[in-house]
Amino acid sequence: MNVFALEFPPVSHLFEWPDIIFSGSLFAVNKTVLIYLAAVLITSAIFLTAGRQRGSLVPVGVQHVAESGVTFVEESVVMETMGPEGKKYLPFLTTMFFFILFSNIFEVVPGIQFPANSRMAVPITLALVVWVIYNFVGVRSQGFFGYLKNSLFPPGVPKALYLIVTPIELVSTFVVRPFSLAIRLWANMVAGHLLLVTFAILTHTLWNNGYVGAAAPFAMLVLMTGFEILVSVLQAFIFTILTAVYIGGSMHAEH
Amino acid sequence: MLNILAQTGAGEMLEGLKAIGAGLGYGLAAIGPGIGIGTVVGNAISSMARQPESAGMVRTTMFLGIAFTEALALIGFVVFILLLP
């Protein structure tokens, strides 16, 4: 593509990485896989280290990070959406929050600068896991037919409206939900990466042509890097809180 | 103008129309969610200002509202990427 007479690489070049090892097989490893492995390792390392230490009264270092993370998820995700009985989902939600956060934050780490969640595979897998969990929780706490009745025939709706409401609820609860959950994370990361790449290419080209004008897109690049840090944290938070809302919604029948 | 149009091949016209469609599609898809997110955040801020002690709950609900509203714009963005020649 040609934008502002600059050579802009095709979108697929920005997101598809060549295989590094085991090329062509099912276990092919490329940059995205390595970033996910790093995210898994960092998340496990933080919580395993913090959990193995004899807990000191005043948390320092890794223990402090882990404890404030758990407290954050507990207070602003679990308590706000599910209440005290949702506390058994706290480990799952915390792990997911930190995994998504670390695989997003590589978007702004110098030298790596690729958000792993801008490939669709892992977001859709996480969303399907969430789908299985909230349906399982719904069936377990309300019974199969109770859960179907409560989610397809929401109480307090006039009888005739069920003709419209039921198909909409069927599609939105069981089909669209996991996709919108995955697409929200994926598209935000794609958009952020494209934004950073655009300003980086603009800066690079203007700098190479000897223009002083490179300062303007560079300032924008720095600004957008800060913004993308915010977006990475926010998307991890939103994914977690929506998961909590879905699980909480299927735990109780609506009144 | 018509002369130029007559000289371009059908394939090129198709590419150009695709690009126009992609751009217009994303722009149109962003209008509604833009207004919607403005409403959500504006009301959240005014309720936070009225009742600062409920700010935590309002903020959580605000992010939920933003996430649901934003989904439409993001679907538009996905269509934009898919249509890109």
Side-chain angles (χ1 to χ4, degrees):
Chain A
M1 275 185 294
N2 224 323
V3 184
F4 299 134
L6 308 175
E7 203 47 50
F8 195 85
V11 173
S12 60
H13 282 199
L14 301 176
F15 293 99
E16 285 167 9
W17 295 92
D19 294 340
I20 298 171
I21 193 170
F22 304 134
S23 179
S25 73
L26 204 60
F27 301 100
V29 171
N30 60 9
K31 189 172 173 178
T32 318
V33 178
L34 287 180
I35 291 173
Y36 277 127
L37 284 178
V40 169
L41 283 181
I42 295 172
T43 312
S44 328
I46 285 180
F47 285 101
L48 288 179
T49 325
R52 207 173 41 194
Q53 278 168 1
R54 183 175 294 274
S56 59
L57 202 58
V58 182
V60 283
V62 179
Q63 194 195 351
H64 180 65
V65 174
E67 282 189 10
S68 49
V70 171
T71 313
F72 169 71
V73 175
E74 182 177 0
E75 279 178 0
S76 54
V77 175
V78 173
M79 293 306 281
E80 298 280 346
T81 57
M82 291 194 278
E85 65 206 277
K87 282 207 178 152
K88 57 182 167 184
Y89 299 104
L90 182 61
F92 169 63
L93 292 173
T94 313
T95 316
M96 204 163 65
F97 174 77
F98 275 92
F99 172 65
I100 296 175
L101 173 62
F102 285 127
S103 44
N104 280 348
I105 208 76
F106 279 106
E107 183 179 12
V108 292
V109 172
I112 302 176
Q113 281 166 324
F114 180 68
N117 282 328
S118 62
R119 302 309 310 271
M120 193 53 164
V122 169
I124 196 75
T125 313
L126 286 175
L128 287 177
V129 169
V130 170
W131 185 83
V132 168
I133 288 179
Y134 76 72
N135 282 326
F136 181 74
V137 168
V139 169
R140 198 179 57 180
S141 58
Q142 301 177 33
F144 183 72
F145 290 104
Y147 175 56
L148 271 190
K149 184 178 158 292
N150 276 319
S151 45
L152 294 186
F153 300 95
V157 179
K159 286 276 184 298
L161 271 184
Y162 280 134
L163 275 177
I164 308 170
V165 169
T166 305
I168 293 177
E169 287 289 318
L170 177 71
V171 171
S172 81
T173 311
F174 295 109
V175 183
V176 175
R177 248 185 205 184
F179 284 103
S180 76
L181 199 59
I183 284 177
R184 183 172 296 118
L185 177 62
W186 169 77
N188 266 296
M189 289 301 116
V190 169
H193 191 54
L194 279 179
L195 207 65
L196 292 184
V197 165
T198 309
F199 283 112
I201 288 176
L202 209 56
T203 312
H204 181 250
T205 315
L206 287 179
W207 181 258
N208 276 355
N209 289 344
Y211 292 149
V212 192
F218 184 71
M220 204 63 195
L221 183 61
V222 174
L223 206 73
M224 281 300 148
T225 304
F227 179 67
E228 287 307 318
I229 297 175
L230 180 76
V231 169
S232 298
V233 180
L234 205 62
Q235 285 310 314
F237 176 63
I238 284 177
F239 197 99
T240 319
I241 203 168
L242 282 175
T243 306
V245 166
Y246 292 158
I247 295 176
S250 55
M251 263 194 318
H252 300 291
E254 283 173 45
H255 299 296
Chain B
M1 177 79 181
L2 279 178
N3 279 340
I4 300 171
L5 280 184
Q7 284 163 11
T8 48
E12 287 176 48
M13 279 290 283
L14 205 63
E15 293 277 290
L17 285 176
K18 259 189 190 173
I20 291 174
L24 272 185
Y26 178 61
L28 289 175
I31 295 175
I35 297 171
I37 291 177
T39 312
V40 169
V41 178
N43 285 332
I45 289 175
S46 68
S47 69
M48 275 186 217
R50 274 168 200 236
Q51 236 177 337
E53 62 269 25
S54 73
M57 198 195 73
V58 171
R59 194 176 298 119
T60 310
T61 320
M62 180 186 83
F63 281 131
L64 272 182
I66 291 178
F68 285 129
T69 319
E70 194 194 34
L72 299 169
L74 290 177
I75 290 169
F77 178 73
V78 171
V79 172
F80 166 71
I81 296 257
L82 290 181
L83 282 183
L84 220 55

